[in-house]
Amino acid sequence: MGRSYAVKGRKKKRKLGDGAASDAAPTAEEAEELPLPEEAEEEKGKDEAAEGEEEQAVPEGLPVVPRAVDGKRRPGAIFVLERACLEVGKVGKTMQILNSDDHANYLRKQNRNPADYRPDIIHQALLAIFDSPLTKSGRLQAVYVKTEKGVLFEIKPHVRMPRTFKRFCGLMSQLLQKLSITAVGKREKLLNVIKNPVTRYLPVGARKIGLSYSAEKSVNLFDYVAKSSIDETLVFVVGAMAHGKIDKEYTDDYIQICNYPLSAACCLNRICSALEQKWNIQ
Ligand SMILES: C[S@@+](CC[C@H](N)C(=O)[O-])C[C@H]1O[C@@H](n2cnc3c(N)ncnc32)[C@H](O)[C@@H]1O
């Protein structure tokens, strides 16, 4: 596999997502010194697990979507996806994002529950956001993802998300090892591991809305969004895990949007549709 993203520097062993406390994100210099996945492959020694050894393919550079530039300043939406199941493990000779389908035996050998390893949830959630007319119209301001291990990263709105799960895992694996991903030939970081907490990046006065099936306040999302101030940035906090709840401590409101438990992707589709209706995005 060829090197996909330009990264300077030499090898330095360091991993994120292995229980790392994420309050202190590494500097850009540190990030650039981290080993690439293909360099890690060269490390000697055999691992006990042989399953799932096929590499997670990584796109040749991360493409960007042309930005909608019309000079107008309009309110937008920010998404915070909490508790994403993204954890890197060394499977065979390669570093991979662990998942319940491909790495069940590997996880069981380490006394971990395969059911907790569901990176497909965050992949589908991100596709729901990035495929939406809301995003295509330029109204997406930012996406923040926090992993189960507490690693926080930002995704720029004009990123073209890998559509296949394998490529997505390859990209996430690179991100969690290198700590940033740039577009080929450009300096801009399209995905970037940042310091916690996420609140330091949210605009002052932005309304932060947490979603949970078990929230006491039940709303019709379309009415709820329609009633919000036309100028305010809305921040939606949605869980990207299989079980459990989001952290509602920093939210201004905590709502249930349906009488049925939904997938994160389904919730996000609804949120995007409600915003598209409010902002007349056809
Ligand atoms: C697969 S669910 C997680 C399940 C978890 N038991 C819960 O309800 O929070 C993924 C996320 O979708 C959102 N969600 C699912 N159903 C919902 C509902 N009926 N109302 C509001 N949010 C919902 C929540 O943010 C949840 O964290």
Side-chain angles (χ1 to χ4, degrees):
M1 183 178 69
R3 179 172 297 182
S4 302
Y5 308 106
V7 176
K8 296 174 207 152
R10 290 171 290 111
K11 286 185 188 179
K12 183 176 178 183
K13 283 184 188 170
R14 180 162 173 186
K15 267 183 253 167
L16 267 176
D18 282 349
S22 53
D23 284 351
T27 63
E29 289 72 28
E30 284 175 320
E32 290 188 341
E33 285 182 12
L34 286 163
L36 292 171
E38 60 268 37
E39 289 172 333
E41 282 168 30
E42 291 161 12
E43 288 176 15
K44 294 201 171 108
K46 287 190 178 174
D47 282 271
E48 68 279 20
E51 63 171 335
E53 271 199 47
E54 197 184 348
E55 282 178 42
Q56 292 167 336
V58 183
E60 282 294 324
L62 196 59
V64 294
V65 180
R67 290 179 231 201
V69 193
D70 60 7
K72 289 182 195 158
R73 195 170 155 67
R74 299 165 299 187
I78 295 175
F79 293 96
V80 180
L81 303 179
E82 286 212 344
R83 302 188 50 190
C85 315
L86 290 170
E87 195 177 323
V88 183
K90 192 170 183 191
V91 184
K93 291 179 183 172
T94 61
M95 300 299 284
Q96 298 188 16
I97 294 288
L98 300 172
N99 76 78
S100 56
D101 289 331
D102 297 326
H103 309 122
N105 292 339
Y106 171 91
L107 290 165
R108 276 191 213 102
K109 274 184 201 165
Q110 299 189 357
N111 290 326
R112 296 197 257 178
N113 182 2
D116 293 338
Y117 292 79
R118 294 284 312 281
D120 55 300
I121 297 175
I122 183 68
H123 183 220
Q124 287 175 16
L126 290 171
L127 286 178
I129 296 172
F130 282 88
D131 281 350
S132 69
L134 177 88
T135 297
K136 292 176 199 284
S137 71
R139 292 294 191 113
L140 177 65
Q141 281 186 10
V143 176
Y144 298 97
V145 178
K146 189 166 179 179
T147 71
E148 282 281 18
K149 294 284 183 187
V151 179
L152 178 67
F153 61 89
E154 179 186 9
I155 307 178
K156 292 282 163 61
H158 48 286
V159 161
R160 203 183 290 272
M161 214 20 82
R163 303 205 65 79
T164 71
F165 180 62
K166 203 168 167 184
R167 282 174 171 255
F168 172 75
C169 287
L171 182 69
M172 291 297 119
S173 173
Q174 284 210 358
L175 174 66
L176 293 176
Q177 291 173 84
K178 287 163 45 180
L179 311 181
S180 67
I181 302 283
T182 54
V184 164
K186 297 196 176 166
R187 291 181 72 95
E188 186 193 8
K189 289 178 177 170
L190 299 175
L191 292 95
N192 194 20
V193 174
I194 54 179
K195 284 185 184 179
N196 278 293
V198 71
T199 44
R200 64 163 72 183
Y201 309 100
L202 304 178
V204 177
R207 187 165 181 72
K208 299 175 278 297
I209 304 151
L211 273 77
S212 176
Y213 171 58
S214 55
E216 281 177 15
K217 181 175 171 182
S218 181
V219 302
N220 176 309
L221 188 64
F222 283 76
D223 294 344
Y224 180 88
V225 166
K227 280 181 199 151
S228 67
S229 161
I230 193 86
D231 293 330
E232 76 183 335
T233 295
L234 295 174
V235 179
F236 291 93
V237 184
V238 174
M241 64 294 193
H243 310 285
K245 290 177 195 162
I246 59 165
D247 173 13
K248 65 173 181 178
E249 289 308 306
Y250 66 94
T251 60
D252 301 309
D253 214 351
Y254 193 56
I255 58 171
Q256 184 204 59
I257 63 164
C258 176
N259 292 335
Y260 301 96
L262 305 173
S263 67
C266 184
C267 274
L268 291 159
N269 280 329
R270 282 192 166 207
I271 296 167
C272 290
S273 297
L275 290 168
E276 286 153 17
Q277 182 170 296
K278 178 180 175 63
W279 291 327
N280 201 23
I281 299 164
Q282 304 287 346

